[in-house]
């Protein structure tokens, strides 16, 4: 069975793995994302690829990347928190240094592709995948096809304004419901330096014994529910899937559904809200599927 190297680039970590073409992950690892330095970003990615190549015959390199990504050329007009890749072509940069074909696709689209091919949307023609991480993104399938949009911005759900009053435009979904927002709110609550590294798992564990932290998570999940409501009302999909590291938290979906049920209009547009089957590996797996599709086209 053919092997592929796959990367899922996030604003905090770069996850990588050696995958079989059926989506099986043979091995994986991660390193901190060098968000602001292009030379270091390319150097660390090339070194990782070379390590996999020492003992494996590989068919290509697949990359899941945040931002406005042209999946046909590999060009990134924006790359989320990875500012080093603004107006860069990661495909070209890597292909100049490694003897393998490279393909790049938006991270939310990759998660949606993974769920469509071998996940919890196999039997769906119309569904949405929402990725919750450093920022919020996602992918949209309509009529069985991935929707890229006119300028590759479809699925940029984080830019939705979900709260507003009077002349104040309020906050976009990125700033009210991302994992980084939860972490920053926790640091403010606990008087922790903004430079200290705190993992989301730490907050969820503390919520079990701290009422104030539990309230913090409750407010955060309410903000998540607002965006999900808007997506359901706009596109009327068969289901909405939640991806990203937080999707592994056992009570997350239960709390989100509780807040949705509190909205008086939810029963009019109600649809299933479920976790992604591939959880935090959806980006890597979907990026590989995208690469295979490109090689077969």
């Amino acid at each position: 069975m053919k092997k592929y190297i796959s990367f899922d680039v996030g604003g905090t970590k770069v996850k990588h793995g050696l995958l079989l073409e059926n989506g099986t992950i043979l091995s994986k690892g991660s390193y901190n994302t060098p968000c602001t330095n292009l030379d270091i970003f390319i150097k660390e990615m090339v070194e990782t690829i070379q390590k996999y190549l020492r003992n494996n015959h590989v068919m290509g390199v697949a990359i899941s990347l945040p931002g406005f990504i042209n999946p046909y050329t590999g060009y990134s007009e924006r790359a989320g928190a990875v500012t080093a890749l603004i107006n860069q072509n990661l495909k070209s940069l890597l292909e100049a240094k490694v003897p393998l074909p490279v393909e790049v696709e938006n991270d939310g689209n990759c998660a949606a592709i993974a769920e469509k091919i071998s996940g919890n949307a196999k039997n769906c023609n119309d569904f949405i995948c929402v990725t919750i991480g450093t920022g919020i993104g996602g992918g949209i399938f309509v009529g069985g096809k991935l929707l890229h949009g006119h300028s590759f911005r479809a699925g940029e759900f984080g830019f939705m304004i979900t709260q507003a009053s009077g002349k104040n435009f309020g906050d976009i979904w990125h700033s009210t419901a991302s994992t980084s927002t939860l972490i920053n709110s926790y640091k403010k609550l606990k008087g922790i330096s903004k430079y200290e590294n705190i993992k989301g798992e730490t907050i969820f564990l503390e919520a079990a014994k701290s009422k104030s932290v539990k309230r913090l998570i409750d407010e955060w999940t309410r903000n998540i529910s607002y965006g999900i409501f808007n997506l359901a009302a706009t596109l009327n999909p068969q289901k909405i899937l939640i991806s990203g590291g937080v999707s592994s938290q056992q009570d997350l979906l239960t709390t989100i559904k509780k807040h949705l049920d509190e909205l008086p209009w939810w029963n009019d547009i109600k649809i299933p809200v479920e976790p992604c089957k591939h959880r935090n590996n959806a980006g890597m797996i979907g990026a590989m599927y995208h690469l295979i599709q490109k090689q077969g086209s």
Side-chain angles (χ1 to χ4, degrees):
M1 195 173 287
K2 294 176 182 178
K3 296 178 183 179
Y4 296 85
I5 298 167
S6 192
F7 290 88
D8 184 6
V9 180
T12 305
K13 293 282 186 180
V14 175
K15 293 175 289 183
H16 53 84
L18 182 68
L19 280 64
L20 293 178
E21 60 186 311
N22 66 358
T24 300
I25 299 175
L26 299 175
S27 63
K28 63 180 180 177
S30 67
Y31 55 86
N32 293 332
T33 308
C35 290
T36 60
N37 190 306
L38 181 62
D39 290 337
I40 294 175
F41 185 95
I42 298 299
K43 176 176 177 289
E44 292 193 354
M45 191 165 274
V46 169
E47 288 175 351
T48 303
I49 293 168
Q50 290 171 339
K51 287 178 184 177
Y52 282 116
L53 289 178
R54 285 173 194 163
N55 299 306
N56 299 281
H57 177 67
V58 174
M59 301 303 295
V61 177
I63 300 171
S64 163
L65 189 69
F68 307 151
I69 314 300
N70 184 327
Y72 306 106
T73 66
Y75 178 78
S76 53
E77 185 176 340
R78 292 267 296 272
V82 191
T83 55
L85 291 176
I86 293 174
N87 296 322
Q88 297 291 337
N89 190 313
L90 186 55
K91 172 180 166 68
S92 299
L93 291 168
L94 286 177
E95 286 183 338
K97 293 180 178 294
V98 297
L100 292 167
V102 177
E103 296 295 344
V104 185
E105 173 62 289
N106 169 270
D107 54 356
N109 290 341
C110 286
I113 292 168
E115 293 302 307
K116 174 59 178 170
I117 292 178
S118 64
N120 288 338
K122 282 193 295 184
N123 299 318
C124 294
N125 283 323
D126 304 282
F127 73 95
I128 296 170
C129 183
V130 176
T131 58
I132 302 174
T134 305
I136 294 181
I140 305 166
F141 266 80
V142 177
K145 295 182 179 180
L146 181 64
L147 182 67
H148 281 105
H150 172 67
S151 54
F152 311 109
R153 286 160 169 77
E156 292 295 334
F157 307 135
F159 289 106
M160 290 192 300
I161 296 174
T162 55
Q163 293 165 298
S165 59
K167 295 181 180 180
N168 179 14
F169 286 110
D171 295 308
I172 60 175
W173 209 22
H174 278 310
S175 63
T176 63
S178 64
T179 305
S180 55
T181 295
L182 174 63
I183 291 171
N184 290 335
S185 298
Y186 174 80
K187 288 179 179 179
K188 186 176 180 180
L189 175 70
K190 307 297 283 188
I192 298 172
S193 167
K194 65 179 181 179
Y195 301 107
E196 188 171 335
N197 184 30
I198 297 290
K199 294 183 177 180
E201 294 90 336
T202 302
I203 303 173
F204 281 93
L205 286 172
E206 188 171 340
K209 56 185 178 181
S210 169
K211 290 183 178 180
S212 60
V213 175
K214 187 176 181 180
R215 283 195 297 270
L216 198 71
I217 291 178
D218 194 62
E219 180 63 26
W220 175 70
T221 50
R222 181 180 289 110
N223 291 336
I224 293 174
S225 75
Y226 294 157
I228 290 173
F229 179 92
N230 290 342
L231 292 174
T234 302
L235 290 170
N236 183 221
Q238 290 165 269
K239 63 172 66 173
I240 291 178
L241 301 175
I242 307 297
S243 179
V246 295
S247 64
S248 61
Q249 294 298 325
Q250 197 168 18
D251 296 333
L252 179 69
L253 265 294
T254 302
T255 310
I256 291 172
K257 289 176 184 178
K258 181 197 77 170
H259 289 308
L260 285 168
D261 287 334
E262 290 169 353
L263 297 171
W265 316 276
W266 179 240
N267 280 334
D268 295 325
I269 59 168
K270 192 170 186 176
I271 58 165
V273 179
E274 303 172 2
C276 285
K277 175 184 176 180
H278 297 298
R279 303 281 183 166
N280 214 21
N281 294 320
M284 281 198 299
I285 294 170
M288 183 198 66
Y289 288 148
H290 168 69
L291 169 61
I292 293 171
Q293 289 172 345
K294 289 295 293 292
Q295 289 181 334
S297 61

